[in-house]
């Protein structure tokens, strides 16, 4: 098959760091059938996503000025940069990811008359901690973005419900859950050695998360602090980077717990080390679905997670994990204490989550459902 017979997919994403949205783009871009698709990824910056795609021989285009923060003149530059990319690439499908890339990309795609514009929602920005005026403006802008697209994908039913009542959009929104491939996992000893040398016998609680306020890490840390005060021999490991790093470091230092609560930063292929943990936390204030929960399932880990967004679509309370109310330190502490003191329950919950993930959240299913949307172009 020659290049003219292939569908050309242009993915656009705001940032090229490594989070859930980037993982999604990477998984699609590297797993589409090469005989049928030509793939290009446009992104802001030159982060981990670009590196990983280059290693897989996926062509990338960097838009240096494309960042999460809003700057009026910068957005004009980004818009015209996208116009230029669309003119050069002439994609059959423009697949947009994240709020800013979605809004600017949908408008640019309409201007350039792209055949199929798809926007995947990884979380609505109006769920973040903002005043009501800002939330209403963002809500309106999201509605504009969805109306400009031909298809909008949400990775949870909860995200769809939050905007499906808006006019002119309900019939173009499709739910496709995130999916992951079978993982190669390090055994417990090897994983712990990679994360922390000279380990002593402790209960390991951990998470893999971007260090953003919306991830609710402060509440998890405060719960861990309370547990340690009760003389529990545990450590809490946080893998990830983000703007909240200094704030979290100050909280940890204030309580003299640098040896018990560790910020390890970004670690390549961190998911392969999940068996180092006895318990995984995801105490987000808002969350669309959460790849780390799927990885925890592959590792057979028990999970304490916030009862928000799409998390309950993966975690059934007391059956495949424990759900807590967001921002509720007392509930997080209570759930963690229960699992720390009940090893048998940890194993039971972890096994149930593993079964659910392997049956319902596979990469193969995500690819199949996404390809069906791509094929509707012809």
């Amino acid at each position: 098959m020659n290049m003219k017979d292939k569908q050309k997919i242009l993915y656009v994403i705001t940032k090229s760091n490594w989070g859930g949205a980037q993982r999604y783009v990477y998984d699609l871009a590297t797993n589409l059938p090469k005989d049928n698709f030509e793939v290009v990824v446009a992104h802001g910056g030159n982060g981990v996503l670009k590196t990983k795609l280059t290693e897989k021989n996926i062509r990338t285009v960097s838009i240096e000025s494309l960042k999460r923060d809003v700057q009026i003149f910068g957005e004009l530059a980004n818009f015209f940069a996208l116009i230029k990319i669309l003119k050069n690439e002439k994609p059959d499908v423009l697949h947009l990811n994240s709020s800013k890339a979605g809004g600017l990309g949908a408008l640019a795609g309409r201007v350039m008359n792209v055949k199929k514009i798809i926007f995947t929602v990884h979380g609505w920005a109006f769920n973040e901690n903002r005043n009501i005026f800002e939330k209403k403006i963002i809500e309106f802008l999201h509605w504009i973005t969805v109306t400009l697209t031909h298809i909008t994908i949400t990775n949870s039913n909860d995200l769809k419900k939050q905007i499906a009542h808006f006019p002119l959009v309900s019939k173009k929104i499709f739910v496709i859950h995130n999916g992951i491939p079978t993982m190669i996992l390090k055994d417990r000893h090897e994983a712990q050695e990679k994360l922390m040398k000279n380990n002593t016998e402790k209960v390991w609680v951990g998470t893999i998360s971007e260090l953003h306020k919306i991830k609710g890490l402060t509440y998890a840390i405060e719960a861990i602090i309370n547990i340690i005060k009760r003389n529990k021999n545990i450590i809490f490991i946080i893998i990830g980077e983000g703007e909240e790093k200094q704030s979290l470091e100050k909280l940890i230092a204030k309580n003299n717990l640098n040896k018990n609560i560790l910020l390890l930063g970004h670690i390549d292929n961190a998911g392969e080390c999940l068996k180092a943990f006895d318990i995984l936390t995801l105490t987000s204030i808002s969350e669309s679905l959460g790849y780390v929960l799927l990885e925890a399932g592959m590792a057979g880990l028990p999970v304490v997670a916030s009862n928000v967004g799409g998390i309950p679509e993966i975690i059934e309370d007391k059956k495949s994990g424990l759900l807590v109310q967001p921002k509720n330190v007392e509930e997080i502490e209570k759930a963690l204490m229960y699992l720390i003191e009940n090893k048998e329950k940890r194993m039971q919950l972890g096994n149930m989550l593993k079964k659910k993930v392997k049956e319902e959240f596979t990469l193969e299913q995500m690819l199949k459902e996404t390809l069906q949307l791509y094929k509707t172009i012809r």
Side-chain angles (χ1 to χ4, degrees), residues 19-113:
Q22 290 76 19
R23 164 76 179 271
Y24 171 86
V25 169
Y26 174 85
D27 281 346
L28 288 178
T30 58
N31 284 284
L32 289 180
K34 291 180 174 55
D35 291 341
N36 304 105
F37 296 94
E38 178 188 356
V39 174
V40 184
V41 179
H43 54 79
N46 290 288
V48 175
L49 175 63
K50 176 182 172 64
T51 302
K52 287 181 174 290
L53 289 169
T54 301
E55 289 171 353
K56 291 291 186 177
N57 297 315
I58 300 295
R59 188 160 60 87
T60 65
V61 181
S62 179
I63 307 172
E64 291 293 339
S65 59
L66 188 57
K67 300 175 182 177
R68 192 171 186 268
D69 297 334
V70 176
Q71 298 174 332
I72 300 301
F73 292 109
E75 304 325 323
L76 285 172
N78 291 328
F79 175 74
F80 286 111
L82 286 168
I83 290 287
K84 183 177 179 181
I85 290 169
L86 290 172
K87 185 176 180 180
N88 291 337
E89 300 295 341
K90 297 180 175 59
D92 298 296
V93 177
L94 174 61
H95 193 154
L96 307 164
N97 295 267
S98 64
S99 298
K100 182 182 285 191
L104 293 173
L107 181 58
R110 287 291 185 173
V111 169
M112 296 302 294
N113 198 30

Side-chain angles (χ1 to χ4, degrees), residues 200-320:
T200 56
E201 285 299 319
K202 297 175 185 279
V203 174
W204 284 46
V205 181
T207 191
I208 302 173
S209 172
E210 291 187 88
L211 308 186
H212 299 319
K213 285 186 178 180
I214 204 163
K215 293 298 183 178
L217 290 164
T218 299
Y219 308 104
I221 289 173
E222 288 177 351
I224 293 290
I225 289 169
N226 292 341
I227 291 170
I228 291 172
K229 287 177 180 177
R230 296 162 71 172
N231 297 315
K232 292 298 177 181
N233 193 27
I234 69 169
I235 60 171
F236 184 36
I237 289 180
I238 301 170
I239 301 173
E241 293 284 356
E243 69 268 12
E244 282 291 290
K245 183 177 182 179
Q246 288 187 342
S247 174
L248 297 177
E249 286 176 336
K250 287 179 181 178
L251 177 60
I252 294 165
K254 178 183 175 183
N255 289 275
N256 298 312
L257 289 174
N258 299 78
K259 292 182 179 180
N260 294 83
I261 303 176
L262 307 174
L263 301 178
L264 299 188
H266 172 78
I267 295 176
D268 281 336
N269 303 315
E272 69 182 19
C273 294
L274 277 170
K275 284 193 173 182
F277 303 151
D278 297 288
I279 304 165
L280 182 126
T281 66
L282 187 64
T283 53
S284 303
I285 299 168
S286 175
E287 188 74 46
S288 58
L289 199 72
Y291 270 108
V292 71
L293 296 181
L294 305 184
E295 292 180 334
M298 285 288 183
L301 285 181
V303 170
V304 173
S306 299
N307 189 10
V308 296
I311 290 177
E313 294 172 38
I314 306 173
I315 304 294
E316 187 175 358
D317 190 32
K318 298 181 179 65
K319 290 188 177 180
S320 53

